[in-house]
Amino acid sequence: MPEPKWIFKTLPRGQTRNNAVGKEFFNLRGLKKQALAREAGQNSLDSNRSSNKLIMKVNLVERSPDKIKDNVYLSSLHAHASHKSSGISHLRIPKKNSHYRFLVIEDYNTEGARGELDYISDGDNNSFEQDVFHLFRSLQKTGKDLDEETPQLGSWGMGKNMYAQTSNLGGFFGYSIREHSESEFLFGMSILQIHKIDDNEYDSTGNFGIGTDNIDEITMPVVDKKIINDFKKVFEIDRKDENGLSVVIPCVYDGVSFEMLVQTFIETWMYAIIKDKMDVHIKAGSNSILITKNNIENHLHYFQDEEKRNLIKRNIDYMKMLNEAKDKDFISLKKHESQNMPFWKKTNYSENSINSWARKLDENNKLFLKVPVKIVYNDDTPSEWGEFKLFIFKDQNILQSNTVQYLRDILIIPGVYANIRLIRGYFGIVEVYGKLAEIIKNSEGPAHFEWSSTMERYINQNLQYGKEIISFVTNSAAQIKRLMTSVNRGTDETILADLLPLYGIIDTKKRKKKKPKKPAPPNVPRPPSICKDHEISGGFNISDNEE
């Protein structure tokens, strides 16, 4: 049987040259610290289809026992990644005769990478459960959207590129055990740019496996147990016979450290950990911790900055309140069947109701609401109702305005910002779930970092009020607080007025601005003259002014 290696397909003459990613992909300055923890946890949670809690093991090995040139799994990749046109800066490429750092991310209580080892899509969309294809052979494509039974945290095929982006060689390995006739396999993927070695021009993506560089043949995963066992030993994989996926990122970039891993997994997945959906075991040399719902606060000393540490502690405290909330703790706002466009309006709610919210917030320092959202389509699709939870906490320690956290299911979306600011002294959390989460998920980019009504996938849902739905949800904390304030003051202001500029409803005609009148100069008394004059015959006489 041929030995496995890294294989990039040669490009024939005349074929269109398209790089899989742009050059910015290899620029670490744009790489967010949380991206690695975010992608790893997201993929694993999506693969966790049982009632058992997800267990993640993360192991950072700071120095390999061997060198790159002696490692059969890396030497052939180095030949491609080190080429000047590979896309990776020469400053990042490790020396071939050097030791290297690597990161292992393993999940347990998951299904592993499902699907046929030889599957290729050939342009069709029937790729549900073809995880092997989506993880190792495709870009910008995913099978998660085809799963209608289980809510998915991820949706983009680009997210897995994070593994390659984190490697200074632009590649990663995946070892998986699953319920399948071919139950165990080893595969790899590399994302570079089109490059030349000698006289051969190679495609921008490659695979580690069995095959040739013939573009008409597919590279197959390794199933030989002897090779797999050797790979597991070389890269310190802990998995024995449990189902799941083990990802190995070789030559991981310098920004990855034990402290960074602890910080980013806590920041990104605190809610999943608090809800007991996930435990994370992080190890690097002699450092080893297990993060659970019962001890998550014990690891906050890894946040060196005191202000950041206090912020994370506050968020954890509030997330715990969310997790402990019962149905009886919520006030359910009424639906307005005749109102297709969602907006905040004082006349939608009785004064007594608004006053009761304000009293609850003042007496308990917290207010929990369930807010319905009508989802209307532009075609004949029947309207639907979604819902989100809104948590408002009264806290005098909140010194900044617009302090609101956004969640889609258990995934924190950190880049969402409200246009209307929640005032200081209050902290808000918006939790989107169910049907509304399915809709809003499509407004997120590949990193699932923010919500935008301009995303193509969101626009393609053919929503009648897509922009207004996002605005209604993101501004909810501030708008509810304004409703309560307006009633307490006895004013008759309409909350919608704050949103009219966003919806384009108000008169937007340009009007000539009146030029401000120039202020009249102040009447300053003149000082006395230093001299005086008087007429004389044939002229005038000047003398000192003694006044």
Side-chain angles (χ1 to χ4, degrees):
M1 186 175 183
E3 292 294 318
K5 61 180 180 179
W6 283 95
I7 299 169
F8 290 77
K9 301 301 182 180
T10 54
L11 296 175
R13 290 183 178 179
Q15 179 171 312
T16 303
R17 269 58 173 158
N18 290 315
N19 282 307
V21 293
K23 289 185 178 180
E24 67 278 0
F25 177 81
F26 305 99
N27 188 347
L28 291 176
R29 285 178 297 180
L31 186 62
K32 294 180 173 64
K33 284 177 60 178
Q34 296 88 351
L36 181 60
R38 194 174 189 78
E39 179 61 23
Q42 185 172 281
N43 281 342
S44 296
L45 281 165
D46 285 343
S47 186
N48 174 239
R49 295 165 186 269
S50 68
S51 58
N52 295 323
K53 176 169 50 179
L54 170 67
I55 306 297
M56 295 197 68
K57 295 183 179 181
V58 183
N59 182 22
L60 175 63
V61 178
E62 292 284 3
R63 180 182 169 88
S64 63
D66 58 350
K67 296 181 179 180
I68 293 175
K69 66 182 180 65
D70 301 320
N71 186 299
V72 296
Y73 307 102
L74 298 181
S75 57
S76 56
L77 177 59
H78 189 276
H80 289 271
S82 60
H83 193 272
K84 63 181 180 180
S85 59
S86 71
I88 303 178
S89 167
H90 70 279
L91 299 175
R92 287 187 61 188
I93 298 294
K95 302 295 183 183
K96 195 169 185 178
N97 63 347
S98 66
H99 297 272
Y100 55 94
R101 307 164 74 235
F102 63 92
L103 183 68
V104 183
I105 305 172
E106 304 188 77
D107 60 36
Y108 295 83
N109 294 329
T110 63
E111 293 184 328
R114 304 164 299 172
E116 304 304 319
L117 299 184
D118 60 352
Y119 177 84
I120 53 175
S121 70
D122 286 331
D124 65 65
N125 291 318
N126 188 25
S127 57
F128 176 54
E129 294 190 353
Q130 298 294 344
D131 299 339
V132 177
F133 166 75
H134 291 299
L135 184 57
F136 298 102
R137 289 198 176 105
S138 72
L139 288 174
Q140 303 185 46
K141 189 172 182 179
T142 177
K144 294 179 182 180
D145 289 340
L146 303 174
D147 187 352
E148 298 179 354
E149 296 181 4
T150 307
Q152 302 288 296
L153 296 178
S155 60
W156 287 70
M158 290 291 286
K160 59 180 171 290
N161 299 357
M162 183 53 55
Y163 299 141
Q165 196 174 17
T166 306
S167 167
N168 287 334
L169 291 180
F172 66 94
F173 299 93
Y175 161 64
S176 185
I177 299 178
R178 72 266 176 80
E179 296 295 332
H180 194 278
S181 57
E182 295 175 300
S183 61
E184 192 176 18
F185 73 86
L186 168 65
F187 212 9
M189 185 180 190
S190 175
I191 304 172
L192 303 175
Q193 291 200 317
I194 294 172
H195 54 283
K196 273 187 177 182
I197 298 179
D198 298 328
D199 293 328
N200 295 320
E201 191 172 25
Y202 292 96
D203 200 359
S204 57
T205 60
N207 291 111
F208 176 84
I210 305 296
T212 70
D213 59 8
N214 187 331
I215 198 168
D216 294 323
E217 299 177 6
I218 64 170
T219 303
M220 290 295 294
V222 178
V223 295
D224 185 283
K225 290 190 178 297
K226 183 178 179 182
I227 296 174
I228 288 176
N229 287 336
D230 179 71
F231 177 86
K232 291 169 66 176
K233 182 178 179 181
V234 169
F235 290 104
E236 302 184 20
I237 290 177
D238 194 51
R239 188 180 308 281
K240 303 298 187 291
D241 57 1
E242 308 92 341
N243 284 0
L245 175 67
S246 301
V247 172
V248 175
I249 304 174
C251 304
V252 68
Y253 80 102
D254 292 341
V256 177
S257 65
F258 177 75
E259 289 75 15
M260 173 266 208
L261 292 168
V262 174
Q263 292 172 13
T264 54
F265 270 94
I266 288 177
E267 281 185 86
T268 306
W269 296 110
M270 65 172 70
Y271 194 42
I273 294 169
I274 290 168
K275 288 182 73 69
D276 210 23
K277 299 286 187 181
M278 175 194 294
D279 286 348
V280 185
H281 183 192
I282 301 177
K283 178 184 176 185
S286 60
N287 295 313
S288 179
I289 65 168
L290 176 64
I291 308 172
T292 71
K293 71 170 187 176
N294 297 320
N295 70 8
I296 185 170
E297 292 170 297
N298 298 342
H299 306 299
L300 297 185
H301 62 276
Y302 288 104
F303 293 87
Q304 302 299 323
D305 182 77
E306 183 179 3
E307 184 177 348
K308 182 65 176 291
R309 184 168 61 249
N310 292 336
L311 186 149
I312 297 297
K313 172 66 168 62
R314 182 196 68 198
N315 288 355
I316 288 174
D317 290 340
Y318 286 134
M319 293 292 181
K320 286 184 175 180
M321 292 187 199
L322 265 65
N323 187 47
E324 295 166 359
K326 305 293 189 293
D327 280 342
K328 64 181 179 62
D329 299 323
F330 290 88
I331 297 173
S332 294
L333 305 192
K334 67 178 182 180
K335 296 178 180 178
H336 299 279
E337 294 286 353
S338 61
Q339 181 178 304
N340 288 339
M341 184 179 77
F343 59 86
W344 294 100
K345 188 177 181 182
K346 189 164 76 172
T347 54
N348 281 346
Y349 312 99
S350 71
E351 189 169 316
N352 287 338
S353 294
I354 298 174
N355 278 327
S356 70
W357 307 343
R359 284 195 303 272
K360 193 160 190 174
L361 181 58
D362 286 337
E363 293 170 2
N364 303 318
N365 292 326
K366 59 186 179 182
L367 175 67
F368 298 169
L369 302 174
K370 288 184 179 180
V371 185
V373 181
K374 192 172 185 180
I375 302 167
V376 182
Y377 299 90
N378 283 317
D379 54 23
D380 296 332
T381 303
S383 299
E384 302 174 278
W385 283 94
E387 186 178 70
F388 67 93
K389 293 177 181 177
L390 173 61
F391 305 81
I392 301 179
F393 299 93
K394 189 176 182 180
D395 187 343
Q396 62 181 359
N397 295 316
I398 304 296
L399 302 180
Q400 290 185 333
S401 63
N402 216 25
T403 307
V404 185
Q405 183 82 70
Y406 296 89
L407 301 167
R408 177 171 59 78
D409 296 316
I410 58 176
L411 179 63
I412 296 173
I413 312 295
V416 179
Y417 296 98
N419 294 314
I420 300 174
R421 305 176 72 85
L422 180 64
I423 62 175
R424 289 183 297 174
Y426 293 89
F427 182 80
I429 299 178
V430 175
E431 181 184 0
V432 178
Y433 55 92
K435 182 62 186 179
L436 187 59
E438 294 176 21
I439 294 291
I440 285 187
K441 176 180 71 174
N442 291 310
S443 72
E444 299 166 8
H448 302 280
F449 191 77
E450 60 189 345
W451 294 335
S452 171
S453 61
T454 62
M455 297 301 297
E456 183 179 359
R457 293 161 61 91
Y458 188 72
I459 294 171
N460 289 341
Q461 294 177 118
N462 206 22
L463 301 170
Q464 196 169 68
Y465 297 106
K467 180 179 179 180
E468 289 80 2
I469 287 175
I470 292 178
S471 180
F472 182 76
V473 174
T474 55
N475 292 309
S476 57
Q479 294 288 31
I480 285 290
K481 185 66 185 73
R482 287 188 174 195
L483 279 172
M484 292 186 288
T485 302
S486 68
V487 168
N488 289 338
R489 289 177 177 171
T491 60
D492 193 28
E493 61 189 38
T494 300
I495 303 301
L496 178 60
D498 293 313
L499 294 180
L500 289 178
L502 301 177
Y503 297 143
I505 296 174
I506 63 171
D507 184 6
T508 57
K509 291 181 180 178
K510 291 185 177 179
R511 303 185 184 278
K512 293 183 179 179
K513 293 183 179 179
K514 292 183 179 180
K515 293 183 179 180
K517 293 182 179 179
K518 292 183 179 180
N523 186 17
V524 181
R526 295 180 62 184
S529 176
I530 61 173
C531 60
K532 61 182 181 179
D533 63 83
H534 59 275
E535 292 184 357
I536 60 173
S537 177
F540 58 89
N541 181 47
I542 297 177
S543 61
D544 291 335
N545 187 359
E546 299 177 355
E547 295 178 2

